[in-house]
Amino acid sequence: MATYVRFFEEIGMGDVAVAGGKNANLGELYRNLSAAGIRVPNGFVLTADAYRYVMDEAKAWEPLHEALDGLDPSDLEDLARRGRRAREIVYGAGMPHPLVDELLAGYHELQRQYGPELRLAVRSSATAEDLPTASFAGQQETFLNVRGDDQLVDACRRCFASLFTDRSIHYRIDQGFDHYSVALSIGVMKLVRSDLASSGVMFSIDTETGFPDVVFITGSYGLGENVVQGTVDPDELYVHKPTYERGHRTVLRRRRGDKAVKLVLVDGETGRTTRNVPTPKADRARFCLTDDEALELAGYAVAIERHYDRPMDMEWAKDGIDGLLYMVQARPETVASQRAATTLERYLLDVPEGGEVTVLVEGRAVGERAASGEVRVIDRLDQLSRFRPGEVLVADTTTPDWEPVMKKAKAIVTNRGGRTCHAAIVARELGIPAVVGTATATQVLHSGAPVTVSCAEGETGRVYAGALPFHVERSELGELARPATEVMVNLGNPDLAFSTSFLPNDGVGLARMEFIVSEHVRAHPLALLHPERVVDPSERAAIAELVAGYPDGGAYFVERLSEGIGTIAAAFYPKPVVVRMSDFKTNEYATLLGGAAFEPVEDNPMLGFRGASRYAHPAYEEGFALECAAMRRVREDMGLDNVVLMLPFVRRVDEAERVLGRMADLGLRRGEHGLKIYAMCEVPSNVVAIDRFAPLFDGLSIGSNDLTQLTLGVDRDSELVAFDYDERDEAVKEMLRLAVEGCARNGIHSGLCGQAPSDLPEIAEYLVELGIDSVSLNPDSVLRVTRHLHEVEQRIGRSPRPDPAGSAV
């Protein structure tokens, strides 16, 4: 008789035809990567030939043809009827006694290895599943907590029958696979007791943008089905692969999920089963993984990706009994890694500045796209037939059974789930936007109402009332000629860093710290250090909630700021990222939580206590120390030594010297560990005394907005005198010339990071003619200005760059 049971140690990637993609991957992991320290629970595969044996012995092929031939998958009622009949046929085929004997012999061997109380995970894997170009993820069934001979035989019969779930039938038709050629194998493996700990999904690529240099980890408490199916809002953590491989062990970025419930084992009348129970409040308030555990998983991901030589989608589980981490699945990532690297696509809402829009719900953005349509709220499976093509599907969560309808949706919105849940995975595969984890979508949104679903604004997805106009910008990058002048980008939002990095660029010329402080830190640094000085009790309570779980408010500030800046630096690594230290005005600082207690009221904050004047001043020196601690963490702990620091609004030379001395005292000494420090050239004194400023810095970056304002004596925030604000004025152009030539004369880098070259082609052209080293632009103008600068350089005969990837910074 043929052998239908093969243990993982006998299975590898060459065995997809008999083991299915999922189980072949498990065997590959167990056989080849266990020696590298990657833990994989042992098990065996009931091969695809066993399925064929079952069908042959029961003479079930002809009835199966009768059930499925001529099926129209768009008729959902007929699909459900025929699918149910097909499953009945396969389950009713039973299992021949010789096959049962071989199956149970494999089970008993695992019991000898793990003990008689062994519990099993029984996982199906089709022979057309988990391929590099088609995932088939979640199409067939998995059974957890299987124990005993009878339960195992029954679970395997149900796995075979799940080859004909409605979703599987529909998916195969869409993908062009023949129902009768595809077979199903079953993986039988030790169940990792993550019901007593945590589990989740991770990718060796960013799932939204396709950015390849991070490991993206999601996790929650309990068994992993909640994360996969979107029942919970999971924790999210990123690890930067290049610096990890250089020996730096730091989480790049994190977001704590709600993790409201966890899937656990319970005793029932018919044996062990699973159910969701509320997650204790203390557990919800912390991450389900420690940093060390997240870094261990990142190491697994790096090794697995290297072994398979492609981006991977993986599932992990922590055993609550032995406390160890295990890999329980690995398969090729099939969406983000398939995108064309030479085509850039951006969805942009066409809402006038100051225009009225209403945000109905927010959640996690999936897909970086936008779409409009009428809402269809679906509460139950039996309502799916109401769905009409082109509607926006709104549900509590989705399961693989919903996929025939999801394929017709303009967009998907769910109450629950994270960016690796079922709804998110299917939305990416279909190329439609999804907003998951909104909490209230099914209550707030109503069937028939027109909405716009936008995932084009960073990590936060939004559902707007009405059909808002939007357009798509598509750019071919493969043939874009690059000028010798370096083209960098201005960026403040870490959520946009990975996607922006795909623009042709030479790094970040201005990374604004203020956005990260206001959106990610949210509180004034001194209020975090001295909450007792905050007068408003509600603000004190909000600060206490922010810093819960941290040693103190300072630790919270340093971690949040460093992870925001670190995300931008990682996105462009190893290209330079110029980080401007905080440049809030006092009125802006005062709007942060607790800020009013620490900021004076000034008549003209634009010319007041801002920039470098704050850094060594007793009123802010503690806050500046936190900023410096965060930058040290980015450069030294995270290993992102491509970060260049820049001081804003430096009025006088002795002020620059004091601040540089203070930075050195705080561990940021210019020249040590390759640290470069720039200054903004935005005060006329910087230009007039450039030969005295230049020796103190490695470069000057012209801030054309403030330099124009101060040269012309025009308040750039005043509409009354806006007609006098013009970067093209001859006085301003002369200041630009003196600054660029002064930098060249002193042998330091010259750049410009203001608005002028983005908006005014003639200013960009003038800067090239002066020989400026770099210009830093808003992302939406990078392609246009890059082409223009190249044309200008060709006209004036400037030599092209010798190395397209090089940088003079």
Side-chain angles (χ1 to χ4, degrees), residues 580-625:
R580 185 178 69 188
M581 306 301 281
S582 67
D583 192 25
F584 282 118
K585 288 75 175 174
T586 50
N587 59 323
E588 295 167 339
Y589 262 121
T591 64
L592 297 173
L593 270 176
F598 300 93
E599 296 297 330
V601 176
E602 296 184 292
D603 292 332
N604 189 357
M606 185 74 76
L607 296 179
F609 190 43
R610 62 173 287 200
S613 65
R614 297 177 66 96
Y615 299 158
H617 193 285
Y620 188 71
E621 61 181 356
E622 287 182 293
F624 186 60

Side-chain angles (χ1 to χ4, degrees), residues 2-23:
T3 299
Y4 297 111
V5 168
R6 294 175 63 179
F7 276 81
F8 285 171
E9 62 194 28
E10 306 171 79
I11 294 288
M13 283 309 300
D15 297 305
V16 172
V18 295
K22 181 189 301 177
N23 293 328

Side-chain angles (χ1 to χ4, degrees), residues 9 108 259 416 764:
E9 62 194 28
H108 300 155
K259 308 183 294 294
R416 297 186 285 167

Side-chain angles (χ1 to χ4, degrees), residues 133-172:
T133 56
S135 73
F136 279 75
Q139 299 302 310
Q140 287 79 226
E141 300 292 351
T142 290
F143 298 93
L144 303 178
N145 309 302
V146 174
R147 187 179 179 194
D149 294 359
D150 293 343
Q151 282 193 17
L152 175 58
V153 172
D154 186 68
C156 289
R157 290 175 62 192
R158 293 184 185 281
C159 275
F160 283 148
S162 74
L163 189 59
F164 295 96
T165 58
D166 298 354
R167 60 189 182 259
S168 300
I169 295 169
H170 200 291
Y171 195 94
R172 280 194 296 274

